[in-house]
Amino acid sequence: MASSGARVGQVGVAGLCLAALALAWGASASRFARVARGRASERVQARALPTDRPASEGFVGSKRCQACHPDAYATWHQSWHRTMTQAVGAGTVLGDFARAPLPHADGPHALERRGEEFWVRMPEANWLLERGAGEVEGAAPFAWQRVVMSTGAHTMQLYWVAAEPGRRLVAFPFAWSVEGQTWVANEATLLRPHEPDVVYGWNEVCLKCHAVAGAPEVELGADQRRAAVGTEVAELGIACEACHGPGADHVEAQTSPLRRYLAHLGRAPAEAIVHPGRLDAHRSSEICGQCHSASIFPDHQAWLGRGSAYRAGDELAASTQVVRHPVLADQPWIDGLLDVDPDYLSGRFWGDGTVRISGRDYNGLIESPCYADVEFGCASCHEMHGDFPDDQLSPFARNDDDRQCTQCHTALGEDEGLGSALAEHTRHAADSAGSRCVNCHMPHTVYGLTKAIRSHRISTPSVEESVSYGRPNACNACHLDRSLAWTARALEQGWGLGWEGELGELGLAEGERSAAVDWLVRGDAGQRALAAWAFGWPSAQATAGTDWMAPLLVGALDDEYAAVRWVALRSLRTLPGYGALDWSLARPLHVDGAPELAEEQARLWAEWAHPGRVEPALYLGAEGFEQARWRHDHERRDRRPVDLRE
Amino acid sequence: MAEGKLDGRHYRWGWASLGVFALIGLALETLHGFKIGAYLDHETRRTMWRLAHAHGAVLGLVHLALAAQLRGAAELGGKTPRASLALCVASVTMPLGFFLGGLWFYDADPGLGILLVPLGAVALVYACLQMWLDAR
């Protein structure tokens, strides 16, 4: 028995050892498989991302700059320029990949995080491209695809997956809204008519400005299809060499401490590098203008190859054609552009030639009267290495104290208070929003990133810009409850800025309707978006009051343009009692319909507290919100398609 | 210089130096503790001042070691007074150079005060060489 027991024990021990070995083997195999999968996945990302430009072109990358310029590197590192494009990794993704699948007309799009990788289940990227070209139709073939790159980090973040051939990248159809902490369809982030089959590619569009010295390296086949895509960049994101030029020669020159100290002591210039602050203001501004402009390249095929020939410090016009509206400049080559893209101007400019989309502020700058001064440029108000990433405004331009203007217009900055030169000029209290230079001369008439942005065409408010071109004027963009006739009279009496037109004939007589309300209810989509934004602007709210706004913004929640809905919801959330409204109220209407939205609108209208006064211009009736009249007008809104190419 | 005077000089210098640089270390810790941007935000300044602190403290220990050696020595070598002077020069110029290099600086390059450091380094090497020659 003892012998038998010992044998049983030996067998047991042997069994345990075998089991342990099996477990260990299994664990190892599993680990090896994971490592192998990880490496394969890394190869997928490496194959998909742009490759480096050749060393012979002189780019060294921002890390090399950091060693000698740690403070400048640090301020750049915290800027939104840096995060404009990033290779996806655990520390770069803002979106919530644990969310439930996202509803979409093609089918639900699933999200998943796998360790430090991010995956999406969406239609195969190449199939989307083929459908966009009208080559395939029907049910979309779904597949899990790794997210390899992201765009943005400030207001939203978009994600890119690999497509063929080569290093072609296609957008995941949803973006992460930082503000709403929710996923939104890419289409919903843009002010454009709903286009179900649109596909966003990176290599020939975003690359131009979202990386340093991007070269699409796109080869077209005989059938004009992409035969090869070998995109190169000096660096992802907008980094040092975008503004300072290639750094290799500078790095080489500055390895000598003697040279460095001679430069520090001002005995020798910093060699072989562009310092925008030492250029004249116009040449310096062209560095910003390489991206912040509506522009094209004279030779599109050359651009598809090696990208833009512009390097910081160059004359921009030598390589890039900045598009100016024909009402402001004669550019014979624009006819060729309009032959290819007839909507180019309407998608970017107001009828008076003022640029109307975000990210093209250089176009506004060069049309400004201040630009006639050779000392005036982007750096008059902005700084790239400050401590204020939002808008990158210089300290004196952040605090609404007008110093960005009074540094030149000194007479308006000499004193304050009623009766001061400033108050006499503005006809507003010196400490009010109406006395801030930018509120009148840089109104929020640019649209982009689901918000209104200040126009960088410094101008004088006029009724004509609104009547003739539909561009909201600064007065009515703040005095939201006032009519165009009121503005015409105020400009005439206060500043002698008369307007010869017959407002009454246009149905714009004083008291008949508020201009801003009219833009929100009956305007085109561009006007509706800007008006909806103005309703949430604190300065306008303080000027016009807020107790009448909610029903109009609730009405805008069923706008056919998703961007208008989003902006209206944001403004609505700023009103007392509406801050808890869920961002899902602004979700796409075309995916799952919006029966509950109508119910929500009805509830919000019913619960709104009537301020107790009657103002037809604001749809305030004796009984409450004049819903029937509002609906009558809203049904007659300007439905001409608006497609803003931000 | 007499043996007693030299070892006394280095004992006094060593302990004074350790005291001064202990206080400087305390000051640097305080700058850290209160998160003073003028110190923490500039890597060059932080590096230079840390080096000033470290060199000053270590050279204080060298003074004490030299004093102990001199007190235990039967007689002075001929080169010891020059080594003593060179060590004193190094003990002033090296920490001071690092400190000034961090006080005014250019991005990642220390200010011109850093030029004192190689001067002190030469003096220190000279002191070591002289003591080695005396100790043969």
Side-chain angles (χ1 to χ4, degrees), chain A residues 66-71 260-261 264-265, chain B residues 41-42 106-112 114:
Chain A
Q66 182 186 19
C68 294
H69 306 284
D71 292 344
R260 285 205 310 279
Y261 277 90
H264 293 326
L265 296 171
Chain B
D41 294 348
H42 304 290
Y106 315 97
D107 281 346
D109 283 330
L112 288 177
I114 199 70

Side-chain angles (χ1 to χ4, degrees), chain A residues 123 160 229 413 458 563 565 575 642:
Chain A
W160 303 90
V229 179
I458 298 165
R565 295 197 298 276
L575 301 180
V642 174

Side-chain angles (χ1 to χ4, degrees), chain B residues 15-63:
Chain B
W15 285 115
S17 185
L18 282 179
V20 166
F21 285 99
L23 284 174
I24 290 176
L26 192 63
L28 296 183
E29 292 299 326
T30 305
L31 293 173
H32 263 290
F34 287 95
K35 303 297 177 200
I36 305 299
Y39 174 62
L40 292 182
D41 294 348
H42 304 290
E43 186 58 35
T44 305
R45 175 168 289 161
R46 286 174 66 178
T47 303
M48 289 298 113
W49 287 7
R50 280 204 303 264
L51 286 169
H53 169 61
H55 280 76
V58 168
L59 286 170
L61 293 174
V62 173
H63 276 283

Side-chain angles (χ1 to χ4, degrees), chain A residues 338-349:
Chain A
L338 296 176
D339 287 343
V340 177
D341 184 358
D343 299 325
Y344 188 94
L345 293 174
S346 62
R348 294 167 175 83
F349 295 91

